[in-house]
Amino acid sequence: MRRLWALLAALVLCWPGVGAASPGPRPTAASVAGDTTRPPLLAYYYQWFDAGSWQRAKTDLPLAGPYSSDDPQVIDRQITEARSAGIDGFIVGWKRGVVNDRRLRKLVDAAEARNFKLAMIYQSLDFHRRPLPVAQVAADFRYFRDHFAASPALLRVAGRPLTVWSGTWSYAHDDVARVTSAVRGELRVLATEKNVDGYRRIADVTDGDAYYWSSADPETTPGYADKLQEMARAVHADHKIWIAPCAPGFDAQLVGGTRPVPRRDGATLSAGYTAALRSSPDAVGLISWNEFSENTHVEPSHDHGDRYLQVLRDLRGVQATVTPRSDPGGSGDVPGRSVAGSGPSRAYWAFAGLVAPMLLITPFAVRRLHASRRSGPAPVEERGTGPGQAVSRSPGSTSPRCSRPDRAP
């Protein structure tokens, strides 16, 4: 009898997702160079969107529908989806402004609440890709330092929050030095140079390089992997930070691009990720979470569904923690997804509803059997009942979308 009881209890406790320890937290990348076997994966993230943004230069749209980067539920879903795919943090595009500051504050607050990491990429080129005045860039970096850098959500390297300066190639050495000299004691400022010579030109006044290379095909571009390794060697020779790029594909024809890079159902992303790892990066920069104008997004979309989150899970060796669901109203969870570890499934409760009564009834039945053998019928015992309840979940909402790095949509 004891064996039967133990077996039944084991069936309940060992049901998937119940009784077992939940997976440990995903690495938070508190130090970029902290894990050489699986460097942090940081996705470039853009917060330029409102409802009208989706009417311009878009061939694909998010599954979530036209969203606003101001919506806290959108931000929560984006973080949840990104983490489910093995993404450790966002490199968020920013330049100072009332709307951008407000949206960055909302993202920082959400990241703090969810133990998710953020770095900042400063967009120093305007919509027409002209460099902003040096004085403005310098003032904006100081503003970021004073108003955002203290957040525990900021990704730190040796105690200093990580920032990236997009467009350093458009500035003279002394101009770069003017901007970085005031903040490098409190911030790490990476350049975005496109080759070794460019990096070396300003290496003494920056803290490394984050190469934003989305327009090349890792499968067909001659010397693609060699170039990443050459840049990595140059940066690491100075004991500085190297963020290697990878992208799922590229098509910027609606914003002036001429040569698309096909996605190949995930093969392009896999090839780029593998090439990035071969350069021994301190982090991999995924281009991008939601750059819909250049079609480098991995955020779930009408054209691709959540295919690229699945590809990332395979590359990162993480289990899927969410499953599709759709919720226009938004519960804060991933669109149509029930989060693993958040509670037993319907199947579990149905199973438990059958087994739990057996666990309660069996000992009484056995005692009655023994008693009847000794002295006739036994008094009737009260019988317990198991949970037998189905858990209903409110639908969750879908994910968001965004625009090109140096352009508001």
Side-chain angles (χ1 to χ4, degrees), residues 131-219:
L132 300 176
V134 176
Q136 179 181 340
V137 177
D140 285 1
F141 266 95
R142 292 194 300 270
Y143 185 90
F144 179 86
R145 175 197 63 193
D146 296 341
H147 292 83
F148 296 103
S151 168
L154 268 291
L155 180 70
R156 284 173 164 75
V157 183
R160 284 183 263 172
L162 183 68
T163 67
V164 180
W165 178 350
S166 177
T168 51
W169 60 84
S170 293
Y171 293 83
H173 173 278
D174 290 349
D175 290 337
V176 175
R178 176 181 169 190
V179 172
T180 62
S181 60
V183 296
R184 282 181 77 199
E186 296 87 12
L187 303 175
R188 301 279 180 183
V189 184
L190 273 59
T192 48
E193 295 299 312
K194 304 174 182 181
N195 52 52
V196 171
D197 289 342
Y199 162 71
R200 287 178 175 155
R201 179 182 68 90
I202 54 174
D204 62 323
V205 292
T206 55
D207 295 299
D209 200 74
Y211 186 17
Y212 197 102
W213 199 20
S214 56
S215 58
D217 189 334
E219 292 194 358

Side-chain angles (χ1 to χ4, degrees), residues 265-388:
D265 193 36
T268 299
L269 178 55
S270 297
Y273 182 79
T274 299
L277 289 185
R278 287 176 179 165
S279 71
S280 301
D282 300 298
V284 175
L286 172 63
I287 309 170
S288 63
W289 175 256
N290 57 352
E291 220 301 15
F292 277 81
S293 292
E294 294 183 347
N295 288 288
T296 61
H297 53 281
V298 297
E299 183 177 25
S301 70
H302 286 296
D303 286 355
H304 305 294
D306 68 350
R307 169 63 182 155
Y308 289 90
L309 300 189
Q310 297 171 21
V311 173
L312 287 170
R313 290 184 195 113
D314 291 341
L315 293 172
R316 300 292 284 172
V318 300
Q319 294 182 346
T321 56
V322 289
T323 53
R325 174 183 60 198
S326 70
D327 165 24
S331 64
D333 288 333
V334 181
R337 313 189 171 208
S338 76
V339 180
S342 63
S345 65
R346 291 174 184 263
Y348 163 74
W349 284 117
F351 178 74
L354 295 173
V355 172
M358 295 175 62
L359 292 175
L360 294 170
I361 293 170
T362 300
F364 298 115
V366 171
R367 276 189 282 172
R368 288 187 62 188
L369 178 60
H370 285 307
S372 65
R373 288 177 176 173
R374 291 193 306 269
S375 57
V380 175
E381 303 278 357
E382 289 189 8
R383 313 274 172 92
T385 57

Side-chain angles (χ1 to χ4, degrees), residues 33-78:
D35 184 352
T36 57
T37 59
R38 198 192 83 164
L41 180 64
L42 308 175
Y44 289 90
Y45 173 96
Y46 301 105
Q47 54 172 5
W48 317 133
F49 297 103
D50 54 39
S53 304
W54 304 105
Q55 306 301 317
R56 301 190 297 272
K58 307 294 187 294
T59 60
D60 190 11
L61 294 173
L63 277 178
Y67 62 76
S68 167
S69 297
D70 267 310
D71 189 338
Q73 291 183 333
V74 166
I75 295 169
D76 283 345
R77 287 194 304 271
Q78 289 175 321

